[in-house]
Coordinates of all heavy atoms in Angstrom, one line a residue:
M1 N 0.8 -1.2 0.0 CA 0.0 0.0 0.0 C 0.9 1.2 0.0 O 1.8 1.4 0.8 CB -0.9 0.0 1.2 CG -1.8 1.2 1.4 SD -3.0 0.9 2.7 CE -2.3 2.0 3.9
A2 N 0.7 2.2 -0.9 CA 1.4 3.4 -1.0 C 1.0 4.4 0.0 O -0.2 4.6 0.2 CB 1.3 4.0 -2.4
D3 N 1.9 5.0 0.7 CA 1.6 6.0 1.7 C 1.9 7.3 1.1 O 3.0 7.6 0.7 CB 2.5 5.8 2.9 CG 2.1 6.7 4.1 OD1 1.2 7.5 3.9 OD2 2.7 6.6 5.1
N4 N 0.8 8.1 0.9 CA 0.9 9.4 0.2 C 1.2 10.6 1.2 O 1.1 11.7 0.8 CB -0.4 9.6 -0.5 CG -0.2 10.1 -1.9 OD1 0.9 10.0 -2.4 ND2 -1.3 10.6 -2.5
R5 N 1.5 10.3 2.4 CA 1.8 11.4 3.4 C 3.2 11.8 3.4 O 4.1 11.1 3.0 CB 1.4 10.9 4.8 CG -0.1 10.7 4.9 CD -0.4 10.1 6.3 NE 0.3 8.8 6.5 CZ 0.7 8.4 7.6 NH1 0.5 9.0 8.7 NH2 1.3 7.2 7.7
C6 N 3.4 13.0 3.9 CA 4.8 13.5 4.1 C 5.5 12.6 5.1 O 4.9 12.2 6.1 CB 4.7 14.9 4.6 SG 6.2 15.6 5.2
K7 N 6.7 12.3 4.8 CA 7.5 11.3 5.6 C 7.6 11.8 7.1 O 7.6 11.0 8.0 CB 8.9 11.1 5.1 CG 8.9 10.4 3.8 CD 10.3 10.2 3.3 CE 10.5 10.8 2.0 NZ 11.8 10.7 1.4
G8 N 7.7 13.1 7.3 CA 7.9 13.6 8.6 C 6.7 13.9 9.4 O 6.8 14.2 10.6
C9 N 5.5 13.7 8.8 CA 4.3 14.1 9.5 C 3.6 12.9 10.2 O 3.6 11.8 9.6 CB 3.3 14.8 8.6 SG 3.9 16.3 8.0
R10 N 3.1 13.1 11.3 CA 2.3 12.1 12.0 C 0.9 12.4 11.8 O 0.5 13.5 11.5 CB 2.6 12.1 13.5 CG 4.0 11.8 13.9 CD 4.2 11.8 15.4 NE 3.5 12.8 16.1 CZ 4.0 13.9 16.6 NH1 5.2 14.2 16.4 NH2 3.2 14.8 17.2
D11 N 0.0 11.4 11.9 CA -1.4 11.6 11.7 C -2.0 12.6 12.6 O -2.9 13.3 12.3 CB -2.2 10.3 11.9 CG -2.0 9.3 10.7 OD1 -1.6 9.8 9.6 OD2 -2.1 8.1 10.9
D12 N -1.4 12.7 13.8 CA -2.0 13.7 14.8 C -1.4 15.1 14.7 O -1.7 15.9 15.5 CB -1.8 13.1 16.2 CG -0.3 12.9 16.6 OD1 0.5 12.9 15.7 OD2 0.0 12.9 17.8
Y13 N -0.6 15.3 13.7 CA 0.0 16.7 13.6 C -0.5 17.3 12.3 O -0.3 16.9 11.2 CB 1.5 16.6 13.5 CG 2.1 18.0 13.5 CD1 2.2 18.7 14.7 CD2 2.5 18.6 12.3 CE1 2.7 20.0 14.7 CE2 3.0 19.9 12.4 CZ 3.1 20.6 13.5 OH 3.6 21.8 13.6
V14 N -1.3 18.4 12.5 CA -1.8 19.1 11.4 C -1.5 20.6 11.6 O -1.8 21.2 12.6 CB -3.4 18.9 11.2 CG1 -4.0 19.7 10.1 CG2 -3.7 17.5 11.1
V15 N -1.0 21.3 10.5 CA -0.8 22.7 10.6 C -2.0 23.4 10.0 O -2.4 23.1 8.9 CB 0.5 23.1 9.8 CG1 0.7 24.6 9.8 CG2 1.7 22.4 10.3
D16 N -2.6 24.3 10.8 CA -3.8 24.9 10.3 C -3.5 26.3 9.8 O -2.4 26.9 9.9 CB -4.9 25.0 11.4 CG -4.5 25.8 12.6 OD1 -3.8 26.8 12.5 OD2 -5.0 25.5 13.7
S17 N -4.5 27.0 9.2 CA -4.3 28.3 8.5 C -3.9 29.3 9.5 O -3.1 30.3 9.2 CB -5.5 28.7 7.7 OG -6.6 28.8 8.6
K18 N -4.4 29.3 10.7 CA -4.0 30.3 11.7 C -2.5 30.2 12.1 O -1.9 31.2 12.3 CB -4.9 30.1 13.0 CG -6.3 30.6 12.8 CD -7.1 30.6 14.1 CE -8.5 30.8 13.7 NZ -9.1 31.9 14.4
Q19 N -2.0 29.0 12.2 CA -0.6 28.8 12.4 C 0.3 29.4 11.3 O 1.3 30.1 11.5 CB -0.2 27.4 12.7 CG -0.8 26.8 14.0 CD -0.7 25.3 14.0 OE1 -1.1 24.6 13.1 NE2 -0.1 24.8 15.1
I20 N -0.2 29.1 10.1 CA 0.5 29.6 8.9 C 0.5 31.2 8.9 O 1.5 31.8 8.6 CB 0.0 29.0 7.6 CG1 0.3 27.5 7.6 CG2 0.5 29.7 6.4 CD1 -0.5 26.8 6.5
E21 N -0.7 31.7 9.1 CA -0.8 33.2 9.1 C 0.1 33.8 10.2 O 0.7 34.9 10.0 CB -2.3 33.6 9.4 CG -3.2 33.3 8.2 CD -4.7 33.5 8.5 OE1 -5.0 34.1 9.6 OE2 -5.5 33.0 7.8
R22 N 0.2 33.2 11.3 CA 1.0 33.7 12.4 C 2.5 33.7 12.0 O 3.2 34.7 12.2 CB 0.8 32.9 13.7 CG 1.5 33.5 14.9 CD 1.2 32.8 16.2 NE 1.6 31.4 16.2 CZ 0.8 30.3 16.3 NH1 -0.5 30.5 16.5 NH2 1.2 29.1 16.3
V23 N 2.9 32.7 11.3 CA 4.3 32.6 10.8 C 4.6 33.7 9.8 O 5.5 34.4 9.8 CB 4.7 31.2 10.3 CG1 6.0 31.2 9.5 CG2 4.7 30.2 11.4
L24 N 3.6 33.8 8.8 CA 3.8 34.8 7.8 C 3.7 36.2 8.3 O 4.1 37.2 7.6 CB 2.7 34.6 6.7 CG 2.9 33.3 5.9 CD1 1.8 33.1 4.9 CD2 4.3 33.3 5.1
A25 N 3.1 36.5 9.5 CA 3.0 37.8 10.0 C 4.3 38.2 10.7 O 4.5 39.4 11.1 CB 1.9 37.9 11.0
S26 N 5.3 37.3 10.9 CA 6.5 37.6 11.6 C 7.4 38.6 10.7 O 7.2 38.6 9.5 CB 7.3 36.4 11.9 OG 7.8 35.8 10.7
P27 N 8.2 39.4 11.4 CA 9.0 40.4 10.6 C 9.9 39.8 9.5 O 10.1 40.4 8.5 CB 10.0 40.9 11.7 CG 9.2 40.7 13.0 CD 8.5 39.4 12.8
M28 N 10.3 38.6 9.6 CA 11.1 37.9 8.6 C 10.4 37.9 7.2 O 11.0 38.0 6.2 CB 11.5 36.5 9.0 CG 12.3 35.8 7.9 SD 12.6 34.1 8.5 CE 12.3 33.2 7.0
F29 N 9.1 37.8 7.3 CA 8.3 37.7 6.1 C 7.8 39.0 5.5 O 7.0 39.1 4.6 CB 7.1 36.7 6.3 CG 7.5 35.3 6.4 CD1 7.8 34.7 7.6 CD2 7.8 34.6 5.2 CE1 8.2 33.4 7.7 CE2 8.2 33.3 5.3 CZ 8.5 32.7 6.6
R30 N 8.4 40.1 6.1 CA 8.1 41.5 5.6 C 9.5 42.1 5.3 O 9.7 43.3 5.6 CB 7.4 42.3 6.6 CG 5.9 41.8 6.8 CD 5.2 42.7 7.7 NE 5.8 43.0 9.1 CZ 5.5 42.3 10.2 NH1 4.6 41.3 10.1 NH2 6.1 42.6 11.3
S31 N 10.4 41.3 4.8 CA 11.8 41.8 4.5 C 12.1 41.6 3.1 O 11.4 41.0 2.3 CB 12.7 41.0 5.4 OG 12.9 39.7 5.0
D32 N 13.4 42.0 2.8 CA 13.9 41.8 1.4 C 14.2 40.3 1.1 O 14.6 40.0 0.0 CB 15.0 42.7 1.1 CG 16.2 42.4 2.0 OD1 16.1 41.7 3.0 OD2 17.3 43.1 1.8
R33 N 14.0 39.5 2.0 CA 14.3 38.0 1.8 C 13.1 37.4 1.1 O 13.1 36.2 0.8 CB 14.5 37.3 3.2 CG 15.8 37.8 3.9 CD 16.0 37.2 5.2 NE 16.1 35.7 5.0 CZ 16.0 34.9 6.1 NH1 15.8 35.3 7.3 NH2 16.1 33.6 5.9
C34 N 12.0 38.1 1.0 CA 10.8 37.6 0.4 C 10.5 38.1 -1.0 O 10.9 39.2 -1.4 CB 9.6 38.0 1.3 SG 9.8 37.3 3.0
V35 N 9.7 37.3 -1.7 CA 9.3 37.7 -3.1 C 8.2 38.7 -3.0 O 7.6 38.8 -1.9 CB 8.9 36.4 -3.9 CG1 10.0 35.4 -4.1 CG2 7.7 35.7 -3.3
S36 N 7.9 39.3 -4.1 CA 6.8 40.3 -4.1 C 5.5 39.5 -4.0 O 5.4 38.3 -4.1 CB 6.8 41.0 -5.5 OG 6.5 40.1 -6.5
D37 N 4.4 40.3 -3.6 CA 3.1 39.6 -3.5 C 2.6 39.0 -4.7 O 2.1 37.9 -4.7 CB 2.1 40.7 -3.0 CG 2.3 41.2 -1.6 OD1 3.0 40.5 -0.8 OD2 1.7 42.2 -1.2
S38 N 2.9 39.6 -5.9 CA 2.5 39.0 -7.2 C 3.2 37.7 -7.4 O 2.6 36.7 -7.9 CB 2.6 40.0 -8.3 OG 3.9 40.3 -8.5
E39 N 4.5 37.7 -7.2 CA 5.3 36.4 -7.4 C 4.8 35.4 -6.4 O 4.8 34.2 -6.7 CB 6.8 36.7 -7.3 CG 7.6 35.4 -7.6 CD 9.1 35.6 -7.7 OE1 9.6 36.8 -7.7 OE2 9.8 34.6 -7.7
Y40 N 4.6 35.8 -5.2 CA 4.1 34.8 -4.2 C 2.8 34.2 -4.6 O 2.6 33.0 -4.6 CB 3.9 35.6 -2.8 CG 3.3 34.7 -1.7 CD1 4.0 33.6 -1.2 CD2 2.1 35.0 -1.1 CE1 3.5 32.9 -0.2 CE2 1.6 34.3 -0.1 CZ 2.3 33.2 0.4 OH 1.8 32.5 1.4
E41 N 1.8 35.0 -5.1 CA 0.6 34.4 -5.6 C 0.8 33.5 -6.8 O 0.1 32.4 -6.9 CB -0.4 35.6 -6.0 CG -0.9 36.4 -4.8 CD -1.6 35.5 -3.8 OE1 -2.4 34.6 -4.2 OE2 -1.4 35.8 -2.6
T42 N 1.7 33.8 -7.7 CA 2.0 33.0 -8.8 C 2.6 31.6 -8.4 O 2.2 30.6 -8.8 CB 3.1 33.7 -9.8 OG1 2.5 34.9 -10.3 CG2 3.4 32.8 -10.9
R43 N 3.5 31.7 -7.4 CA 4.1 30.4 -6.8 C 3.0 29.6 -6.2 O 2.9 28.4 -6.4 CB 5.2 30.8 -5.8 CG 6.4 31.3 -6.4 CD 7.4 31.6 -5.3 NE 8.8 31.9 -5.9 CZ 9.9 31.9 -5.2 NH1 9.8 31.7 -3.9 NH2 11.0 32.1 -5.7
L44 N 2.1 30.2 -5.4 CA 1.1 29.5 -4.7 C 0.1 28.8 -5.7 O -0.3 27.7 -5.5 CB 0.3 30.4 -3.8 CG 0.9 30.7 -2.4 CD1 0.0 31.6 -1.6 CD2 1.3 29.5 -1.7
H45 N -0.2 29.6 -6.8 CA -1.1 29.0 -7.8 C -0.4 27.8 -8.4 O -1.1 26.7 -8.6 CB -1.3 30.1 -8.9 CG -2.2 29.6 -10.0 ND1 -3.5 29.4 -9.9 CD2 -1.9 29.2 -11.3 CE1 -4.0 28.9 -11.0 NE2 -3.0 28.8 -11.8
A46 N 0.9 27.8 -8.7 CA 1.6 26.6 -9.2 C 1.5 25.5 -8.2 O 1.3 24.3 -8.6 CB 3.0 26.9 -9.5
C47 N 1.7 25.8 -6.9 CA 1.6 24.7 -5.9 C 0.2 24.1 -5.8 O 0.1 22.9 -5.6 CB 2.0 25.3 -4.5 SG 3.7 25.7 -4.4
M48 N -0.8 25.0 -5.8 CA -2.2 24.5 -5.7 C -2.6 23.6 -6.8 O -3.5 22.8 -6.6 CB -3.2 25.6 -5.5 CG -3.0 26.5 -4.2 SD -3.0 25.5 -2.7 CE -1.9 26.4 -1.7
S49 N -2.0 23.7 -8.0 CA -2.3 22.8 -9.1 C -1.3 21.6 -9.2 O -1.4 20.9 -10.2 CB -2.3 23.6 -10.4 OG -1.0 24.1 -10.7
C50 N -0.5 21.5 -8.2 CA 0.5 20.4 -8.3 C 0.0 19.1 -7.7 O -0.6 19.0 -6.7 CB 1.8 20.8 -7.5 SG 3.1 19.6 -7.5
P51 N 0.3 18.0 -8.4 CA -0.1 16.7 -7.9 C 0.6 16.2 -6.7 O 0.2 15.3 -6.0 CB 0.2 15.7 -9.1 CG 1.3 16.4 -9.9 CD 1.0 17.9 -9.7
K52 N 1.7 16.9 -6.3 CA 2.4 16.5 -5.1 C 2.0 17.4 -3.9 O 2.7 17.3 -2.9 CB 3.9 16.7 -5.4 CG 4.5 15.8 -6.4 CD 4.5 14.4 -6.0 CE 5.2 13.5 -7.0 NZ 5.2 12.1 -6.6
L53 N 0.9 18.1 -4.0 CA 0.5 18.9 -2.8 C -0.5 18.0 -2.0 O -1.4 17.4 -2.6 CB -0.2 20.2 -3.3 CG -0.7 21.1 -2.2 CD1 0.4 21.7 -1.4 CD2 -1.6 22.2 -2.7
Q54 N -0.3 18.0 -0.7 CA -1.2 17.3 0.2 C -1.9 18.2 1.1 O -1.3 19.1 1.7 CB -0.4 16.3 1.0 CG -1.2 15.6 2.0 CD -0.4 14.7 3.0 OE1 0.7 14.3 2.6 NE2 -0.9 14.4 4.1
G55 N -3.2 18.1 1.1 CA -4.1 18.8 2.1 C -4.0 20.3 1.9 O -4.4 21.1 2.8
G56 N -3.6 20.8 0.7 CA -3.6 22.2 0.5 C -2.4 23.0 1.2 O -2.4 24.2 1.1
T57 N -1.6 22.3 1.9 CA -0.5 22.9 2.6 C 0.9 22.3 2.4 O 1.9 23.0 2.4 CB -0.8 23.0 4.1 OG1 -0.9 21.7 4.6 CG2 -2.0 23.8 4.4
T58 N 1.0 21.0 2.3 CA 2.2 20.3 2.4 C 2.7 19.7 1.1 O 2.0 19.0 0.4 CB 2.1 19.1 3.4 OG1 1.6 19.6 4.7 CG2 3.5 18.4 3.6
C59 N 4.0 20.0 0.8 CA 4.6 19.5 -0.4 C 5.1 18.1 -0.1 O 5.9 17.9 0.8 CB 5.8 20.4 -0.9 SG 6.8 19.7 -2.2
L60 N 4.6 17.1 -0.9 CA 5.0 15.7 -0.6 C 6.5 15.4 -1.1 O 7.1 14.4 -0.7 CB 4.1 14.7 -1.3 CG 2.7 14.7 -0.7 CD1 1.8 13.8 -1.6 CD2 2.7 14.1 0.7
V61 N 7.0 16.3 -1.9 CA 8.4 16.1 -2.4 C 9.4 16.5 -1.3 O 10.3 15.7 -0.9 CB 8.7 17.0 -3.6 CG1 10.2 16.8 -4.1 CG2 7.8 16.5 -4.8
C62 N 9.2 17.7 -0.6 CA 10.2 18.1 0.4 C 9.6 18.2 1.8 O 10.4 18.4 2.7 CB 10.8 19.5 0.0 SG 9.7 20.8 0.0
G63 N 8.3 18.1 1.9 CA 7.7 18.2 3.2 C 7.5 19.6 3.8 O 7.0 19.8 4.9
C64 N 7.7 20.6 2.9 CA 7.5 22.0 3.4 C 6.1 22.4 3.4 O 5.2 21.8 2.8 CB 8.3 23.0 2.5 SG 7.5 23.3 0.9
I65 N 5.8 23.5 4.1 CA 4.5 24.1 4.1 C 4.6 25.1 3.0 O 5.3 26.1 3.1 CB 4.1 24.8 5.5 CG1 4.2 23.8 6.6 CG2 2.8 25.5 5.4 CD1 3.3 22.7 6.5
V66 N 3.9 24.9 1.9 CA 4.1 25.7 0.7 C 3.8 27.2 0.9 O 4.4 28.0 0.3 CB 3.3 25.2 -0.5 CG1 3.8 23.8 -0.9 CG2 1.8 25.2 -0.3
Q67 N 2.8 27.6 1.7 CA 2.5 29.0 1.9 C 3.7 29.7 2.6 O 3.8 30.9 2.4 CB 1.3 29.1 2.8 CG 0.0 28.7 2.1 CD -0.3 27.2 2.3 OE1 0.5 26.4 2.6 NE2 -1.6 26.8 2.0
I68 N 4.5 29.0 3.3 CA 5.7 29.6 3.9 C 6.9 29.6 3.0 O 7.5 30.6 2.7 CB 6.0 28.9 5.2 CG1 4.8 29.2 6.2 CG2 7.3 29.4 5.8 CD1 4.9 28.4 7.5
T69 N 7.2 28.5 2.4 CA 8.3 28.3 1.5 C 8.2 29.2 0.3 O 9.2 29.8 -0.2 CB 8.5 26.9 1.1 OG1 8.7 26.1 2.3 CG2 9.7 26.7 0.2
A70 N 7.0 29.3 -0.3 CA 6.8 30.1 -1.5 C 7.1 31.6 -1.3 O 7.3 32.3 -2.3 CB 5.4 29.9 -2.0
K71 N 7.1 32.0 -0.1 CA 7.3 33.5 0.2 C 8.8 33.8 0.1 O 9.1 35.0 0.0 CB 6.7 33.8 1.5 CG 6.6 35.2 1.9 CD 5.6 35.9 1.0 CE 5.4 37.4 1.5 NZ 4.8 38.2 0.4
L72 N 9.7 32.8 0.3 CA 11.1 33.1 0.4 C 11.8 33.1 -0.9 O 11.7 32.1 -1.7 CB 11.7 32.1 1.4 CG 11.1 32.1 2.8 CD1 11.6 30.9 3.6 CD2 11.4 33.4 3.5
K73 N 12.6 34.2 -1.2 CA 13.3 34.3 -2.5 C 14.2 33.2 -2.7 O 14.4 32.7 -3.9 CB 14.1 35.6 -2.5 CG 13.4 36.8 -2.8 CD 14.3 38.0 -2.8 CE 13.6 39.3 -3.0 NZ 14.4 40.5 -2.9
E74 N 15.0 32.7 -1.7 CA 16.0 31.7 -2.0 C 15.5 30.3 -2.2 O 16.2 29.4 -2.6 CB 17.0 31.7 -0.9 CG 16.6 31.0 0.4 CD 15.8 31.8 1.4 OE1 15.6 33.0 1.1 OE2 15.5 31.3 2.5
K75 N 14.2 30.1 -2.0 CA 13.6 28.8 -2.2 C 13.2 28.5 -3.7 O 12.9 29.4 -4.4 CB 12.4 28.6 -1.3 CG 12.7 28.7 0.2 CD 13.6 27.6 0.6 CE 13.9 27.5 2.1 NZ 14.7 26.4 2.5
R76 N 13.3 27.3 -4.1 CA 12.9 26.8 -5.4 C 11.9 25.7 -5.3 O 11.9 24.9 -4.3 CB 14.1 26.4 -6.2 CG 15.1 27.5 -6.4 CD 14.6 28.5 -7.4 NE 15.5 29.6 -7.5 CZ 15.2 30.8 -7.0 NH1 14.2 31.1 -6.3 NH2 16.1 31.8 -7.2
C77 N 11.1 25.5 -6.3 CA 10.2 24.4 -6.3 C 11.0 23.1 -6.4 O 11.8 23.0 -7.2 CB 9.3 24.5 -7.5 SG 8.3 23.1 -7.9
P78 N 10.7 22.1 -5.5 CA 11.4 20.9 -5.5 C 10.8 19.8 -6.4 O 11.3 18.7 -6.4 CB 11.3 20.4 -4.1 CG 9.9 20.9 -3.7 CD 9.8 22.2 -4.4
Y79 N 9.8 20.1 -7.3 CA 9.2 19.1 -8.1 C 10.3 18.4 -9.0 O 11.1 19.1 -9.6 CB 8.1 19.8 -9.0 CG 7.2 18.8 -9.7 CD1 6.1 18.3 -9.0 CD2 7.5 18.3 -10.9 CE1 5.3 17.4 -9.6 CE2 6.6 17.4 -11.5 CZ 5.5 16.9 -10.8 OH 4.7 16.0 -11.4
P80 N 10.3 17.1 -9.0 CA 11.3 16.3 -9.7 C 11.4 16.7 -11.2 O 10.4 16.5 -11.9 CB 10.9 14.9 -9.4 CG 10.0 14.9 -8.3 CD 9.3 16.2 -8.3
G81 N 12.5 17.1 -11.6 CA 12.8 17.4 -13.0 C 12.2 18.6 -13.6 O 12.3 18.9 -14.8
E82 N 11.5 19.4 -12.7 CA 10.9 20.6 -13.2 C 10.7 21.6 -12.1 O 10.2 21.2 -11.0 CB 9.5 20.2 -13.8 CG 8.5 21.2 -13.9 CD 7.1 20.7 -14.4 OE1 7.0 19.5 -14.6 OE2 6.2 21.5 -14.6
D83 N 11.0 22.9 -12.3 CA 10.7 23.9 -11.3 C 9.4 24.5 -11.7 O 9.3 25.3 -12.6 CB 11.8 25.0 -11.3 CG 11.6 26.1 -10.3 OD1 10.5 26.2 -9.8 OD2 12.5 26.9 -10.2
R84 N 8.3 24.2 -11.0 CA 7.0 24.7 -11.3 C 6.8 26.2 -11.0 O 5.8 26.8 -11.4 CB 5.9 23.9 -10.5 CG 5.9 22.4 -11.0 CD 5.0 21.6 -10.1 NE 3.6 22.0 -10.3 CZ 2.7 21.5 -11.2 NH1 3.1 20.6 -12.1 NH2 1.5 21.9 -11.2
W85 N 7.8 26.8 -10.3 CA 7.8 28.2 -10.1 C 8.5 29.0 -11.1 O 8.4 30.2 -11.1 CB 8.4 28.5 -8.7 CG 7.7 28.0 -7.5 CD1 6.4 27.5 -7.5 CD2 8.2 28.0 -6.2 NE1 6.1 27.1 -6.2 CE2 7.2 27.4 -5.4 CE3 9.3 28.4 -5.6 CZ2 7.3 27.2 -4.0 CZ3 9.5 28.2 -4.3 CH2 8.5 27.6 -3.5
S86 N 9.2 28.4 -12.0 CA 9.9 29.1 -13.0 C 9.0 29.9 -14.0 O 7.8 29.5 -14.1 CB 10.8 28.2 -13.9 OG 10.0 27.4 -14.7
A87 N 9.4 30.9 -14.6 CA 8.6 31.7 -15.5 C 8.0 30.9 -16.6 O 6.9 31.1 -17.0 CB 9.4 32.9 -16.0
E88 N 8.8 30.0 -17.1 CA 8.3 29.1 -18.2 C 7.2 28.2 -17.8 O 6.2 28.0 -18.5 CB 9.4 28.3 -18.8 CG 10.6 29.1 -19.4 CD 11.6 29.6 -18.3 OE1 11.8 28.9 -17.3 OE2 12.1 30.7 -18.5
A89 N 7.3 27.7 -16.6 CA 6.3 26.7 -16.1 C 4.9 27.4 -15.8 O 3.9 26.7 -15.9 CB 6.8 26.0 -14.8
V90 N 4.9 28.6 -15.3 CA 3.7 29.2 -15.0 C 3.0 30.1 -16.1 O 2.0 30.6 -15.9 CB 3.8 30.1 -13.7 CG1 4.1 29.2 -12.5 CG2 4.9 31.2 -13.8
S91 N 3.7 30.2 -17.2 CA 3.2 31.0 -18.3 C 2.1 30.2 -19.1 O 2.0 29.1 -19.1 CB 4.3 31.3 -19.3 OG 5.3 32.1 -18.6

């Protein structure tokens, strides 16, 4: 039986939208380390249409919370063989 869950997550651990909002409200996410709001929305759109997204929050490839990772400039989409955040992928 294939397990489609993130390797690091237990069944009893769920990150909710309030927790994500609290993290995104921290000063780090209002700095030059973050992408613009429009790029963030583009990245999130790519994540929401990805077959490797679980529960609307977790990337099954790397285990990150996409709403947080997509905000950071230095991060890249971990989709195997393709960066779904690249300009070519979202056009």
Side-chain angles (χ1 to χ4, degrees):
M1 177 170 111
D3 188 354
N4 226 14
R5 293 177 298 151
C6 170
K7 292 182 239 179
C9 294
R10 300 182 321 257
D11 287 337
D12 61 339
Y13 186 79
V14 177
V15 176
D16 64 31
S17 61
K18 288 187 187 233
Q19 291 169 306
I20 294 169
E21 288 171 16
R22 189 172 61 242
V23 170
L24 290 174
S26 71
M28 179 181 137
F29 289 95
R30 292 187 304 266
S31 71
D32 61 351
R33 297 178 60 193
C34 297
V35 298
S36 67
D37 289 345
S38 63
E39 185 172 351
Y40 178 62
E41 291 302 322
T42 299
R43 286 178 170 196
L44 283 182
H45 180 74
C47 290
M48 295 305 148
S49 65
C50 182
K52 298 291 186 181
L53 182 68
Q54 175 185 337
T57 59
T58 306
C59 174
L60 290 174
V61 177
C62 69
C64 77
I65 304 300
V66 298
Q67 290 87 342
I68 294 170
T69 301
K71 191 71 174 158
L72 300 171
K73 279 183 186 176
E74 78 272 2
K75 297 296 186 176
R76 298 290 173 255
C77 169
Y79 194 84
E82 159 186 4
D83 179 350
R84 296 174 64 88
W85 293 349
S86 71
E88 299 81 35
V90 293
S91 297

